[in-house]
Amino acid sequence: MTREFSSDPCDTSATPDETAREIACYSLSSSERKIGSRDPIMRGMRTFLVVVAGLVLATTSATAQQLKTPQDSPHARVMQTIGLTEITVDYHRPAVAGRKIWGDLVPYNDVWRAGANLNTTVTFSTDVKIGGKPLRAGTYGLHMLPTARTWTVIFSNMTTAWGSFTYDQKEDALRVVVTPKPLATHEERLAFRFDDPAMTKATLTLAWEKLAVPVAIEVDTPNVVMASMRGELRGNAGYTWQAWNQAASYWLKNGGNLDEAIKMSDRSIQQNPTYANSMTRADLLDKRGKTAAAKEARAKAQTLASEADLNVAAYQLLGAKKLDEAIAAFQAIVTKYPDSWNARDSLGEALALKGDKAGAIASYEVALVKVSDAQNKKRIQGVLVRLKAK
């Protein structure tokens, strides 16, 4: 039997839902309700409001049914930084749950979503290489085409699809072929991880059941870093000599553009000539093959150096196992700062490493006389006891 509703929205039989009925009823003023039964326009309006009230009821009912429950394949996200490049994989993790996975639940020769539910996506903050092939920065839908021997890993420009059901090869940004490997232990839930992360590379691995699918990722980290530095130098950092020197030093150490690095060093020196930026410029000139100019720059740097600057430089020589050069540098510090206990202490350390026991003891004994703080006095006394016991 079909129930008929009254045309009067204020009638308790007009809509079965109290909230919807109130919306329809109180949308009309009291005077409109009094004349409504005689006015065809008002009757039409009341009918329209009854329909609206019904829609509100339907919407309310539907919304009330959409309660949150746990997903069978829970959402996960994994991120790795390579140099300055951030890589994020967003995916859902199905379980094996006693099922046969490869060639069955995940058929061979069919494109697969590399997870569950929505597209698995991977985001690169900078340009990268996948399996040696270039891929621009951005977010991609990640799909895989498994076979019994090799897999094709697909990076799609479509990122919002539900799984791989509407996958279109025309939307591919890149395809690479990889070889899966057996896992030593059972992986119940599908997982993505980053193996062997380094400054310029890492391996993105899909692991599930007893199979691992490795995807090699490479990043041109020095160029990424320098691009970042160039941007920073256009901001507040560009007004400090330290930032320009840092950029020049990075290029020097990482095989970058030496002409650009020398210009950066010059900018640093223009802002404030120091021992640090003068030595950076000398090293750049040396690497550029301009030996005479490098020697002149080092001589100028010495005039700007503090004791701490010279001490750091001498220890760098020591760390590079240039023992004779380090000893000469420490001796120069002693000559320039004869009252410094630290200079004598450092020279004693270098002489001891050289095997010059007598010279080391003599240097440490002068340091012991000059040092004032108790902690270093006790340390030097201990060093002398050990040296004299040998």
Side-chain angles (χ1 to χ4, degrees), residues 324-350:
D324 290 336
E325 291 180 49
I327 289 171
F330 285 126
Q331 286 172 335
I333 299 171
V334 167
T335 301
K336 190 172 182 177
Y337 300 96
D339 294 327
S340 170
W341 72 266
N342 187 64
R344 297 282 183 173
D345 181 40
S346 299
L347 176 59
E349 181 180 349

Side-chain angles (χ1 to χ4, degrees), residues 135-151:
L135 183 65
R136 300 293 297 269
T139 300
Y140 298 92
L142 183 63
H143 305 267
M144 296 186 178
L145 179 59
T147 72
R149 293 188 177 181
T150 61
W151 287 40

Side-chain angles (χ1 to χ4, degrees), residues 111-114 119-120 141-145 152-156 158 161 163-165 167 172:
V111 175
W112 172 54
R113 73 185 86 183
N119 259 168
T120 294
L142 183 63
H143 305 267
M144 296 186 178
L145 179 59
T152 300
V153 180
I154 304 165
F155 297 85
S156 172
M158 165 54 68
S164 300
F165 300 107
Y167 166 77
D172 285 1

Side-chain angles (χ1 to χ4, degrees), residues 78-82 85-89 122-125 128 194 204 217 219:
V78 61
M79 191 276 280
Q80 178 66 50
T81 301
I82 302 176
T85 300
E86 292 186 354
I87 303 172
T88 304
V89 181
V122 57
T123 301
F124 305 97
S125 66
V128 297
F194 289 91
L204 173 62
I217 302 173
V219 180

